Amino acid sequence: WQELDEYVVTKQVAEHLRKFIDVYNQGSGDRMGVWVSGFFGSGKSHFIKIISYLLENKQATSPITNETKLAPAFFDDSKIKDAMLQADIKRATSGSADVILFNIDSKADSKSERDVILQVFLRVFNEKLGYSGDAPHIANMERYLESKNAYENFKAAFKQKNGNDWLAERDAFDLLRDDIIHAVSSALEMSESSAATWFDNARDSFKINIDNLAKTISEYLQTKPKDHRVVFLVDEVGQFIGDNTQLMLNLQTITEELGVKCKGRAWVVV
């Protein structure tokens, strides 16, 4: 509430906001990568955070009066005098979106890995959908179970065998092999030996590349309304990449593939 209430829309901020909102509303397939640049301390991080609140249509609650208000409502005549920009903001926030705001440095395991940006994008996307962030092959299993309408049965079978909730225990998956195999077998109505083979091979057989990531996000979007979008807002990318051209190329390729496969419904703002 306080961040939205106190955010000052200067003439320059209004111009940048208009430029972004215009392109966002057009929903063009290949124009969905946004690089927010500026000097140190110029408010880049704050700007993308405010954009994340807007695109998510986030509801804020006043700490004093308990009044609730959606993010776009803060951008009325007191902040923005341009009625057309106000209307464009309302239009941009009228659809639904999965908005994923994160600092890349806090989500990356190591800068030295060649595909670290790809790993981070997959991690935050999985976490947003409620799947395992730390173990992509476990998230892949959860995604598959959900696609077969068997995820809830899996969680119930796991709890019946283990005594604890799956979401609370899944980070220790290496210690829970027998319980997981039992739950997979029960949920998918397959033999425990087949479930064991499937689970034991899951880590080695799981491969992630940029093409697969874009395909996974595209398949997810196909299960949602036509105007639904996935928006990645990534803070401190410039500092994270530095002069590493390989990381820059990876970010560029991820953005390009999302543009091709998701046709304007997956956005990357860095």
Side-chain angles (χ1 to χ4, degrees):
W1 179 282
Q2 191 173 350
E3 281 181 301
L4 286 163
D5 194 39
E6 295 179 358
Y7 190 67
V8 178
V9 181
T10 62
K11 186 179 177 186
Q12 191 180 30
V13 166
E15 284 170 10
H16 293 316
L17 199 54
R18 180 182 286 105
K19 192 173 181 184
F20 172 75
I21 294 291
D22 278 351
V23 182
Y24 187 79
N25 281 337
Q26 287 167 25
S28 173
D30 57 350
R31 294 188 69 205
M32 33 56 71
V34 181
W35 188 285
V36 180
S37 63
F39 293 112
F40 180 80
S42 60
K44 301 181 296 296
S45 298
H46 202 181
F47 182 70
I48 69 165
K49 190 191 259 192
I50 295 297
I51 284 178
S52 79
Y53 293 159
L54 282 171
L55 298 184
E56 197 171 9
N57 214 357
K58 206 171 185 73
Q59 183 171 280
T61 305
S62 167
I64 299 165
T65 64
N66 282 332
E67 176 195 353
T68 60
K69 205 162 148 182
L70 293 173
F74 286 88
F75 291 78
D76 56 14
D77 295 338
S78 61
K79 279 198 202 301
I80 296 174
K81 306 297 181 194
D82 186 338
M84 194 168 288
L85 178 54
Q86 286 180 356
D88 286 344
I89 288 172
K90 280 179 184 161
R91 186 175 150 215
T93 58
S94 61
S96 57
D98 287 301
V99 178
I100 309 168
L101 173 71
F102 62 98
N103 182 312
I104 192 162
D105 205 31
S106 68
K107 289 289 183 181
D109 291 330
S110 164
K111 272 193 197 184
S112 60
E113 290 183 54
R114 179 187 169 91
D115 60 351
V116 60
I117 294 180
L118 169 64
Q119 290 173 19
V120 169
F121 269 69
L122 179 63
R123 167 180 283 178
V124 297
F125 181 64
N126 282 336
E127 286 175 350
K128 182 69 176 179
L129 301 190
Y131 303 138
S132 171
D134 292 332
H137 68 289
I138 295 294
N140 200 46
M141 178 189 78
E142 294 171 314
R143 185 177 282 108
Y144 179 76
L145 287 163
E146 192 144 64
S147 74
K148 298 296 180 186
N149 294 318
Y151 191 30
E152 293 306 316
N153 290 342
F154 166 84
K155 287 192 277 192
F158 178 87
K159 183 165 188 177
Q160 174 259 320
K161 175 93 164 128
N162 179 275
N164 296 305
D165 287 331
W166 164 246
L167 298 184
E169 297 293 316
R170 68 181 172 191
D171 287 346
F173 58 87
D174 279 334
L175 305 174
L176 303 170
R177 179 181 178 275
D178 292 349
D179 296 346
I180 294 172
I181 288 166
H182 166 79
V184 168
S185 166
S186 172
L188 295 176
E189 297 179 353
M190 61 198 295
S191 68
E192 290 217 358
S193 61
S194 297
T197 304
W198 186 60
F199 178 74
D200 292 339
N201 292 335
R203 196 199 302 257
D204 294 333
S205 63
F206 178 77
K207 297 285 184 285
I208 183 62
N209 54 41
I210 292 171
D211 182 67
N212 284 345
L213 172 72
K215 202 155 80 178
T216 299
I217 295 172
S218 173
E219 286 169 358
Y220 167 72
L221 284 165
Q222 284 163 28
T223 69
K224 294 290 180 182
K226 282 192 174 178
D227 62 352
H228 187 87
R229 298 184 188 187
V230 172
V231 187
F232 295 95
L233 296 114
V234 198
D235 200 13
E236 300 296 354
V237 158
Q239 193 171 331
F240 184 81
I241 288 175
D243 57 4
N244 188 327
T245 52
Q246 184 59 55
L247 292 183
M248 188 68 227
L249 179 64
N250 278 10
L251 177 63
Q252 185 180 342
T253 309
I254 288 168
T255 308
E256 286 174 356
E257 278 299 308
L258 287 174
V260 171
K261 292 227 171 24
C262 301
K263 298 178 172 54
R265 295 179 66 194
W267 282 68
V268 178
V269 182
V270 300

